Amino acid sequence: MSLMRNVNRALTATTGLQVRRAPTPAQRPVKAKAPARQPVKAPAPAYRCTDDLATDRLLRRPVFIMSPVRSGSTLLRLVLNAHSRLHAPHELHIRRLEVAHGSRLSERAMEALDLGRGDLEHLLWDRVMHRELVRSGKDVLVEKTPSNAFVYQRIRDCWPDARFVFLLRHPLSIARSWHEADPDKRTFDEAAADALRYMKAVDRARKGITGGHTVRYEQLTEAPDETLHGLCAFLGVDFEPAMLEYGERDDTQLRKGLGDWRDKIRTGRVQGGRPLPQDDDVPEILRPIGKAWGYLA
């Protein structure tokens, strides 16, 4: 006890600090359990819609494939990537790239440049995608991450000159494929409900964006030549027969989580899809979107 008092006196004289002994278990006060805090949702980042592409954007006229999960977007991106002018990398998930200010001063400095957090994120997105295009040596970048449909407005605001391709597939085929991709993770009903979120997001994007081009998975697999001729015309490039034979792929080129990775897509050529489901087999949860997309009467 005397030794501890001497240490405390010395520290107090030099630093004003005190060394305190930990209380014994009997001495520790019992604190009331604090109520669980509700998570606070961060506000959406502010950004401005700018037409000043000359200074704010390096990437020009990018192409975004808006599609639900398991709708054939990996097949479409591999086919497009086989074109001499089109670069379609694996899913980039740019919407998850976020910017944070390290201090209030850095935030004020960016505000003085008229750059909010969302503006900085747009600059980051643009730089990443432009870098990927330059590395490819091609002219046009194609991005196909399915979750982009949830933020189509931001993508359109980030690149006012962007072009949009909407890839549709029969809703029940999507749900079945989503379930089969990981049957231990989700039941069919869970897969259908989860896939429907993406379908609704794509449907909102189709309604909110004018001048897009729609491709159906069933058309791509049954009549790829005709379908790709129409898509190339929309993109302003000539059709190239090599697109129909995009080449075999291995584990280094197809990775789970960044698109389809299963055996069928690895073959390197467009193959027929599964037969269309019968109307009576479509569960009630998928019927409205099936009707909206013209798959159900």
Side-chain angles (χ1 to χ4, degrees):
M1 290 293 293
S2 60
L3 175 62
M4 182 59 66
R5 281 195 296 269
N6 291 337
V7 171
N8 275 337
R9 290 194 194 99
L11 284 171
T12 302
T14 56
T15 67
L17 299 178
Q18 292 261 336
V19 176
R20 301 193 180 193
R21 291 193 304 171
T24 63
Q27 295 173 320
R28 291 193 182 106
V30 179
K31 294 184 178 180
K33 188 175 181 180
R37 293 184 178 182
Q38 296 298 321
V40 178
K41 187 176 180 180
Y47 64 93
R48 55 191 170 83
C49 243
T50 176
D51 293 326
D52 190 6
L53 296 180
T55 58
D56 282 6
R57 298 292 173 264
L58 297 174
L59 188 65
R60 302 303 168 87
R61 307 195 72 203
V63 178
F64 289 89
I65 298 173
M66 295 286 166
S67 67
V69 291
R70 307 306 304 176
S71 59
S73 61
T74 298
L75 173 61
L76 183 55
R77 79 101 172 161
L78 289 171
V79 166
L80 293 177
N81 193 57
H83 195 284
S84 61
R85 294 184 57 196
L86 305 176
H87 179 51
H90 61 68
E91 297 172 5
L92 298 180
H93 294 271
I94 57 167
R95 67 179 288 240
R96 296 303 187 187
L97 298 178
E98 300 177 350
V99 171
H101 297 101
S103 69
R104 176 55 185 156
L105 284 177
S106 70
E107 184 177 4
R108 289 172 60 188
M110 293 301 101
E111 289 174 351
L113 298 178
D114 200 20
L115 292 172
R117 183 162 69 92
D119 298 311
L120 294 171
E121 289 175 355
H122 285 181
L123 292 174
L124 173 61
W125 298 358
D126 181 72
R127 180 65 181 91
V128 169
M129 291 181 60
H130 181 261
R131 175 181 182 270
E132 181 61 24
L133 179 62
V134 171
R135 291 177 67 193
S136 74
K138 295 186 178 183
D139 302 327
V140 179
L141 189 128
V142 181
E143 219 294 272
K144 63 76 109 188
T145 307
S147 62
N148 283 342
F150 293 104
V151 292
Y152 78 89
Q153 295 104 325
R154 279 199 70 181
I155 289 174
R156 183 183 55 187
D157 291 342
C158 183
W159 293 280
D161 60 349
R163 292 168 288 175
F164 294 87
V165 175
F166 301 101
L167 178 61
L168 308 184
R169 187 183 185 184
H170 193 294
L172 181 52
S173 297
I174 291 175
R176 285 173 173 170
S177 183
W178 193 222
H179 169 61
E180 293 165 2
D182 202 341
D184 296 331
K185 183 178 180 180
R186 46 188 168 254
T187 65
F188 170 78
D189 289 341
E190 292 170 340
D194 188 43
L196 182 59
R197 296 189 305 112
Y198 290 85
M199 297 182 222
K200 289 181 175 179
V202 171
D203 199 52
R204 289 191 295 269
R206 285 185 78 203
K207 294 174 180 176
I209 296 173
T210 58
H213 182 80
T214 297
V215 172
R216 293 182 184 272
Y217 173 78
E218 295 81 8
Q219 295 172 338
L220 177 62
T221 55
E222 294 171 11
D225 191 295
E226 178 184 352
T227 303
L228 292 174
H229 268 89
L231 180 53
C232 285
F234 170 73
L235 298 179
V237 298
D238 294 331
F239 170 78
E240 295 180 358
M243 300 170 73
L244 300 176
E245 296 284 344
Y246 57 83
E248 294 185 9
R249 294 295 190 271
D250 57 27
D251 290 342
T252 64
Q253 298 160 310
L254 298 174
R255 301 179 182 179
K256 185 176 180 180
L258 299 178
D260 192 0
W261 70 98
R262 297 190 297 175
D263 292 340
K264 190 174 182 179
I265 201 71
R266 297 173 183 269
T267 62
R269 57 187 177 85
V270 180
Q271 299 187 35
R274 66 179 76 197
L276 279 177
Q278 298 295 316
D279 287 3
D280 292 342
D281 294 334
V282 179
E284 189 61 35
I285 190 176
L286 299 177
R287 297 188 74 83
I289 197 71
K291 292 178 180 178
W293 287 0
Y295 286 102
L296 295 175

